Amino acid sequence: MKKVFLILILLMLPGGSPILATKWAELIPEEVESRSQVIVLGTYNFKSKPKSGKNNFYGSQFHVEKVYKGEAADNITAGIEIFDDGWAEEFQQDGGKFLLFLEKTKETRFLVPVAGPNGMVQVQDDRIVSGHEDYYGKIINEEARIPSPVKENESEGYLLEILLFSLTGFITLLLIIRFLSREKPKSY
């Protein structure tokens, strides 16, 4: 009896809740900037509906105030790591903004900060407050562009899914028509 109880306990141990954790290596600012495709200053809208993503990122609406590199609309979907939303929301409630260094990855349909927190530079009162003040300070003091008035294309990345769904529906319709045409009419 004791052996059966012990075996049951041992079998239940590995089936616990999954634990998610990440650890990002700190990158030098030059690498963060060179990897980024878009650099913007603004704030996350934590009340917006999050968009799911793979890995530890989800997409959140981000209001863009200034664009330093690449193209961005007034509102974009920017990734944020699931473990960063708490402190990031608190920081913004205290008047903070983020200088985001964003890159496109294979795992998501939206831009994500380069190496997680490396691409999320904290700005308060037009000053860098999260480290590497000299380097990132030069960037926010550069000539910035206003965001483009073009709204973000919400259907971006969904073309393949739309085509597959349409093709599946079309094939189903053809099979139904074929089945109905082969069925012999019944006399009543």
Side-chain angles (χ1 to χ4, degrees):
M1 182 71 170
K2 289 181 183 179
K3 287 182 183 179
V4 171
F5 183 74
L6 183 62
I7 290 173
L8 286 174
I9 296 293
L10 290 175
L11 287 174
M12 290 190 310
L13 286 177
S17 299
I19 297 174
L20 298 173
T22 58
K23 182 173 175 141
W24 296 97
E26 186 173 349
L27 301 179
I28 60 171
E30 293 83 2
E31 185 175 352
V32 173
E33 183 180 13
S34 70
R35 280 181 49 179
S36 68
Q37 296 161 317
V38 174
I39 302 173
V40 292
L41 176 70
T43 54
Y44 283 101
N45 178 357
F46 290 105
K47 291 180 175 49
S48 67
K49 182 180 176 189
K51 293 185 179 181
S52 64
K54 295 181 182 174
N55 293 341
N56 294 328
F57 287 100
Y58 72 88
S60 180
Q61 186 181 47
F62 187 83
H63 175 69
V64 177
E65 295 176 17
K66 296 179 181 178
V67 179
Y68 295 94
K69 180 179 179 182
E71 293 296 320
D74 292 334
N75 290 299
I76 63 171
T77 301
I80 185 166
E81 194 175 24
I82 57 176
F83 307 111
D84 290 341
D85 59 357
W87 69 263
E89 187 171 6
E90 263 182 47
F91 178 70
Q92 284 185 185
Q93 287 172 350
D94 292 336
K97 298 177 184 180
F98 287 99
L99 180 65
L100 293 184
F101 292 79
L102 301 169
E103 67 181 342
K104 183 76 176 149
T105 64
K106 290 183 256 181
E107 293 84 21
T108 57
R109 294 185 177 141
F110 42 82
L111 296 167
V112 298
V114 173
N118 288 280
M120 293 177 64
V121 177
Q122 299 170 34
V123 179
Q124 188 134 29
D125 299 324
D126 296 322
R127 289 184 17 252
I128 304 297
V129 294
S130 58
H132 304 288
E133 292 86 1
D134 293 338
Y135 190 87
Y136 293 128
K138 289 178 187 174
I139 292 174
I140 64 169
N141 290 326
E142 289 177 0
E143 184 78 25
R145 298 184 314 278
I146 58 170
S148 60
V150 179
K151 291 185 179 179
E152 181 182 16
N153 185 358
E154 293 295 328
S155 66
E156 181 180 321
Y158 294 103
L159 183 59
L160 182 61
E161 285 87 352
I162 291 169
L163 288 174
L164 287 174
F165 184 74
S166 300
L167 183 62
T168 304
F170 182 68
I171 290 172
T172 304
L173 180 65
L174 289 176
L175 289 173
I176 291 170
I177 291 172
R178 182 173 181 212
F179 175 76
L180 292 175
S181 67
R182 294 181 124 203
E183 193 173 284
K184 295 180 182 179
K186 296 179 181 178
S187 60
Y188 294 100

